[in-house]
Amino acid sequence: MPLSDSRLDQYVVDGRRAEIQSHVDSLLDTMTLEEKAGQLNQRSVHFVTGTEDEGEELESAVADGEVGSLLNATDLETKRHLQELAVEESRLGIPLLIGFDVIHGYETIFPIPLAQAASWNPDLAERAERIAATEAAAAGHNWTFAPMVDVSRDPRWGRVMEGAGESPVLGSAFARARVRGFQGDDLSDPDTVLACAKHFAAYGAVEGGREYNTVDVSETALRERHLPPFEASVEAGVGSLMNAFNVHERIPASGNESPLNDVLKGEWDFSGVLVSDWASFREQIQHGTAENRRDAARKAIQAGSEIDMASEVVIDELPDLVRDGEVSEDRLDDAVRRVLTVKGLLGLFEDPYRYFDEERRDETMLADKHRQAAREAARESFVLLQNEDDRLPLDPEADVALIGALADSGEDTLGAWSFEGRPEDAITIRDGLEAFLDREVPFTPGYELPGDVTEESIEAAVETATDADVAAAVVGETAEITGEAASRTEIDLPGEQRRLVEALVETDTPVVAVLMNGRPLAIDWLAESVPAILDVWHPGVEGGPAVAETLFGEHVPAGHLPMSFPYSVGQVPLAHDRLPTGRPGDDGESAYATGYIDAPNEPLFAFGHGESYTDFAYTDLTLSTAAIESGETLEATVTVENVGDVAGRDVVQFYVRDLVGSRSRPVKELLDFETVDLDAGETAAVTVTIEDVDLAFWTVDREWAAEPGAFDIMVGHAADDIVHTQRLELLD
Ligand code: GLC
């Protein structure tokens, strides 16, 4: 049955779809069971130990048609060589998909995805991925294992740096943008790559924030929190999804029929291809849901999974499973058809070598316009967490001392998941400041990475600060303690960086803090002791210049947090869209309201928080109507005024509360947002359109619907800074 899907078709020039389907049909008619299983077998090149025989084993497997896709091949020659073996040596000459983790850039490394989400500007992410795809494709890749769209409210989990934070709405906007960026307008263009939304599903809810741990979420939480960015990716026409390592309802994602077949391929009619995460087909054995490799292969394919990344249970077991009638050939054909179809969409059948062009590679990598886009993205991602007594921006004429080893680290400027990015290409904060000021800047590391201080390192830092008019302390996380396999039980600054900051604050020199981080951090002591804190995350290859332009006021920061910063790790998980509970404590009186005896319920810095060098005022939130019926829309409009002294950008946030539902509803949820650029004194009307589907949730009847009743529509500067509220009635 040909896979026809208008969402995927948007990436196919007219007329090619029919031709692709007929070619796929003709291949399927001639393929052996082993060749079909081969298309579902993905082998890793990078982790080949490099011994001669193992390389030869991979080469012969490719030449025998036993491999359908590769990952982690790095040099162009290896990719071309293996593609030639597949196309010219194997019986049917089916080209390989060649995948790679292009998470926030290829050689031009952009800010980490969580930082990009802090811009609240999905167009920025689309532009970044367009460039990333151009570079990755020029390096021989036709598939990226991105965007990561996992929603998470647990900063202990290191992989929050790969996503867009805690909001399904913000996450969906960035998911759509990233898919469009990678896949462009036509997947057969040699500068586009197949995107892969991951990790399906709910990996961001690992218990305890512990990597690879159990996930145990309700169907309601799955539907309302974790699935929306995947559905948004499918609606945007993503060509592939990747299964998560974790279980849902105690069943590993790779072998879980319900979210895969019932939701993804049933409700959403997804016609792309599903790849497992690393070895997760085989890991069903470790989960205790498969007896052996044969059982694991059977369960994965039957559940609706397709490509087996790196465990080889499919190539080893599937032909016999089909021969023995335990897996239907129809299911196998459906799986292989999906793989062949995306190869067709990529134009690989017409020209399997279109991604191998040394000249294009050399002129594409780190092109000036790419670096410029990375610098722009970095500037837009910075969040001014606080700026008491307007300590920022700094005066370029002032004697500035720079303290902190992170300021001098190319690797940490790039961040985790920057494989093909080179630290030597990164412009560090130290480089950026010296270039901006056109003079040498007094610098001392103050600590050894990740955060080891000595009396001597502190003394040197104090001395450097004492001689200056202002001290910029760069503190935070190394890339190494963020990303995959980097969960932390404490989320303070690592090591003894705090001792360094406290020593600096003891001097008479004013201190500003520049935070480099891959997750929200519990830094209440920093907020108490340092009046100005600029969060620059891991800002990418052009991070240094972007930080300098922002510290000295050439750029006015406009980032807003995509994830709450807790006072304490003990508050986690923590998010803006919490439920009220039966004892919300609104009266502020009862000792028996939900809460702690040693910490507040609220975060240190809330979702949506971000300051500026100017200020914005909101007046008269109006609704175009106070009541709508199902299927109708309304407009919410607020007047925004720049009441400060400099031009700046504001992120106007609209929230909603469903006051009564068949299930308890969050105290607020992000509904929509708009960015607006205003000169000092300028005003603008900012309007968002609301329809009943925006008010929907997973009802007690287990359907996605908006229930009639009263809603509060709110507008604010952050989840904890609501300025105006208007009542809306959804009529029966
Ligand atoms: C890793 C990650 C996944 C990545 C894959 C290939 O374990 O979980 O996000 O795409 O393996 O590197």
Side-chain angles (χ1 to χ4, degrees):
M1 166 65 154
L3 293 167
S4 65
D5 176 343
S6 61
R7 296 159 305 184
L8 259 180
D9 282 345
Q10 65 186 298
Y11 298 102
V12 188
V13 291
D14 297 339
R16 285 191 59 243
R17 196 59 190 264
E19 147 201 339
I20 291 169
Q21 288 311 343
S22 65
H23 184 65
V24 167
D25 291 341
S26 62
L27 279 173
L28 271 172
D29 289 343
T30 61
M31 291 171 81
T32 66
L33 287 179
E34 281 68 19
E35 287 167 333
K36 290 178 180 178
Q39 288 302 304
L40 307 183
N41 184 36
Q42 180 174 102
R43 291 289 299 272
S44 174
V45 177
H46 175 65
F47 291 114
V48 166
T49 55
T51 53
E52 201 47 41
D53 59 333
E54 194 169 354
E56 284 170 6
E57 183 278 326
L58 176 60
E59 289 174 325
S60 61
V62 170
D64 292 345
E66 294 173 4
V67 181
S69 57
L70 302 172
L71 81 151
N72 293 335
T74 46
D75 62 283
L76 203 60
E77 294 63 37
T78 301
K79 289 168 241 179
R80 177 193 289 279
H81 171 59
L82 291 169
Q83 189 68 289
E84 283 167 350
L85 287 176
V87 171
E88 295 164 28
E89 299 287 322
S90 74
R91 184 177 77 91
L92 294 173
I94 299 173
L96 296 165
L97 289 172
I98 300 178
F100 200 73
D101 290 293
V102 187
I103 307 300
H104 53 110
Y106 190 70
E107 285 200 21
T108 303
I109 299 298
F110 282 77
I112 56 173
L114 189 62
Q116 292 183 40
S119 72
W120 292 56
N121 178 7
D123 292 344
L124 169 154
E126 181 171 351
R127 189 167 66 237
E129 305 308 15
R130 189 84 294 285
I131 289 168
T134 302
E135 292 192 353
H141 299 286
N142 49 49
W143 188 15
T144 176
F145 303 125
M148 186 274 215
V149 301
D150 298 318
V151 171
S152 186
R153 49 272 322 275
D154 192 334
R156 292 171 293 184
W157 189 47
R159 301 196 75 166
V160 296
M161 56 74 62
E162 293 174 55
E166 68 188 53
S167 163
V169 169
L170 188 65
S172 298
F174 275 83
R176 279 189 286 272
R178 292 200 142 103
V179 168
R180 286 195 302 267
F182 283 127
Q183 299 191 165
D185 296 325
D186 174 6
L187 268 174
S188 70
D189 280 354
D191 65 357
T192 62
V193 295
L194 194 73
C196 180
K198 68 184 185 183
H199 306 80
F200 192 68
Y203 185 11
V206 281
E207 288 188 340
R210 196 177 88 208
E211 185 61 292
Y212 311 128
N213 199 11
T214 299
V215 166
D216 213 347
V217 297
S218 66
E219 182 183 36
T220 303
L222 184 76
R223 290 278 186 170
E224 292 186 359
R225 188 176 297 160
H226 300 287
L227 291 186
F230 287 99
E231 187 171 11
S233 302
V234 171
E235 284 311 307
V238 71
S240 65
L241 262 75
M242 180 184 291
N243 274 328
F245 288 119
N246 51 274
V247 296
H248 176 60
E249 292 288 356
R250 314 290 165 91
I251 303 170
S254 290
N256 197 322
E257 194 137 0
S258 173
L260 298 186
N261 279 327
D262 299 351
V263 176
L264 179 62
K265 296 181 176 179
E267 292 174 39
W268 301 346
D269 189 23
F270 174 65
S271 61
V273 67
L274 206 54
V275 60
S276 77
D277 202 337
W278 185 274
S280 57
F281 278 21
R282 187 258 302 146
E283 288 181 1
Q284 297 175 88
I285 300 170
Q286 282 72 23
H287 278 290
T289 55
E291 283 180 45
N292 50 44
R293 293 171 59 83
R294 177 182 167 98
D295 197 25
R298 178 179 60 79
K299 288 197 162 188
I301 298 299
Q302 289 290 57
S305 294
E306 266 100 36
I307 295 179
D308 171 12
M309 180 191 287
S311 83
E312 298 187 71
V313 296
V314 163
I315 188 69
D316 293 347
E317 305 294 346
L318 195 56
D320 286 345
L321 282 165
V322 173
R323 286 188 191 99
D324 298 346
E326 291 189 48
V327 171
S328 74
E329 189 151 9
D330 284 351
R331 171 72 264 279
L332 174 57
D333 286 353
D334 168 63
V336 176
R337 175 184 298 285
R338 290 167 184 267
V339 176
L340 297 177
T341 297
V342 296
K343 291 185 177 185
L345 297 181
L346 287 163
L348 291 175
F349 293 124
E350 288 94 340
D351 175 5
Y353 304 114
R354 64 179 51 210
Y355 289 88
F356 305 125
D357 176 339
E358 282 84 350
E359 190 181 326
R360 186 160 66 93
R361 178 194 59 189
D362 296 344
E363 68 192 23
T364 300
M365 298 306 171
L366 283 165
D368 287 348
K369 62 183 179 180
H370 294 176
R371 277 190 171 272
Q372 191 49 41
R375 185 182 299 195
E376 180 54 39
R379 283 197 295 256
E380 289 196 37
S381 70
F382 297 162
V383 181
L384 184 58
L385 293 177
Q386 64 185 34
N387 189 25
E388 289 157 21
D389 58 44
D390 291 338
R391 187 161 287 188
L392 287 174
L394 301 177
D395 176 356
E397 298 309 313
D399 283 342
V400 179
L402 182 65
I403 293 148
L406 283 169
D408 206 24
S409 165
E411 180 184 350
D412 298 308
T413 304
L414 296 182
W417 289 102
S418 300
F419 292 124
E420 292 304 286
R422 291 182 305 223
E424 61 271 25
D425 291 328
I427 305 178
T428 64
I429 292 176
R430 183 180 183 187
D431 296 343
L433 259 61
E434 293 191 344
F436 185 89
L437 296 170
D438 194 20
R439 65 175 189 262
E440 196 174 329
V441 171
F443 168 78
T444 181
Y447 52 87
E448 274 191 34
L449 294 173
D452 304 326
V453 302
T454 62
E455 291 313 318
E456 293 72 22
S457 72
I458 290 181
E459 278 166 23
V462 165
E463 188 180 330
T464 305
T466 304
D467 297 344
D469 298 329
V470 61
V474 182
V475 290
E477 296 180 304
T478 53
E480 189 183 20
I481 64 172
T482 70
E484 182 172 2
S487 288
R488 296 178 64 196
T489 58
E490 293 300 337
I491 53 172
D492 200 333
L493 297 186
E496 297 179 283
Q497 293 181 22
R498 176 170 179 169
R499 272 186 61 201
L500 170 72
V501 174
E502 287 168 344
L504 293 175
V505 169
E506 285 300 305
T507 69
D508 293 333
T509 303
V511 177
V512 299
V514 177
L515 200 56
M516 286 177 65
N517 52 312
R519 59 166 49 89
L521 297 174
I523 48 169
D524 59 328
W525 62 271
L526 187 71
E528 281 297 315
S529 48
V530 179
I533 305 174
L534 179 70
D535 193 339
V536 303
W537 313 95
H538 291 129
V541 74
E542 287 283 328
V547 170
E549 290 155 8
T550 306
L551 284 179
F552 293 102
E554 187 174 283
H555 169 71
V556 177
H560 289 253
L561 292 180
M563 205 170 163
S564 311
F565 275 48
Y567 280 97
S568 150
V569 70
Q571 291 179 291
V572 167
L574 182 64
H576 72 284
D577 53 1
R578 61 182 174 78
L579 299 182
T581 77
R583 298 186 172 196
D586 296 345
D587 58 12
E589 299 303 320
S590 163
Y592 296 96
T594 183
Y596 306 94
I597 59 172
D598 59 356
N601 294 342
E602 294 70 31
L604 172 65
F605 297 117
F607 173 79
H609 172 77
E611 299 195 12
S612 171
Y613 295 154
T614 185
D615 280 311
F616 299 95
Y618 297 165
T619 52
D620 57 20
L621 170 65
T622 57
L623 303 183
S624 55
T625 173
I628 58 172
E629 294 186 359
S630 175
E632 292 184 331
T633 64
L634 74 136
E635 291 185 338
T637 301
V638 65
T639 301
V640 182
E641 180 180 3
N642 180 341
V643 295
D645 305 327
V646 295
R649 167 175 295 179
D650 190 32
V651 175
V652 185
Q653 299 158 47
F654 292 83
Y655 293 86
V656 62
R657 179 173 188 174
D658 182 352
L659 294 168
V660 178
S662 56
R663 298 183 196 273
S664 180
R665 306 284 296 117
V667 296
K668 65 171 71 75
E669 297 172 275
L670 181 68
L671 177 64
D672 204 344
F673 57 93
E674 283 292 337
T675 57
V676 57
D677 296 318
L678 294 173
D679 289 333
E682 188 182 2
T683 62
V686 172
T687 297
V688 293
T689 300
I690 302 168
E691 48 190 332
D692 61 344
V693 69
D694 298 322
L695 310 175
F697 68 106
W698 191 246
T699 70
V700 71
D701 299 324
R702 296 184 61 245
E703 58 186 26
W704 192 257
E707 295 175 341
F711 296 80
D712 277 346
I713 305 297
M714 299 164 258
V715 66
H717 300 287
D720 68 346
D721 187 1
I722 298 302
V723 180
H724 297 296
T725 301
Q726 289 287 355
R727 184 57 54 87
L728 172 70
E729 199 70 27
L730 178 61
L731 303 172
D732 205 339

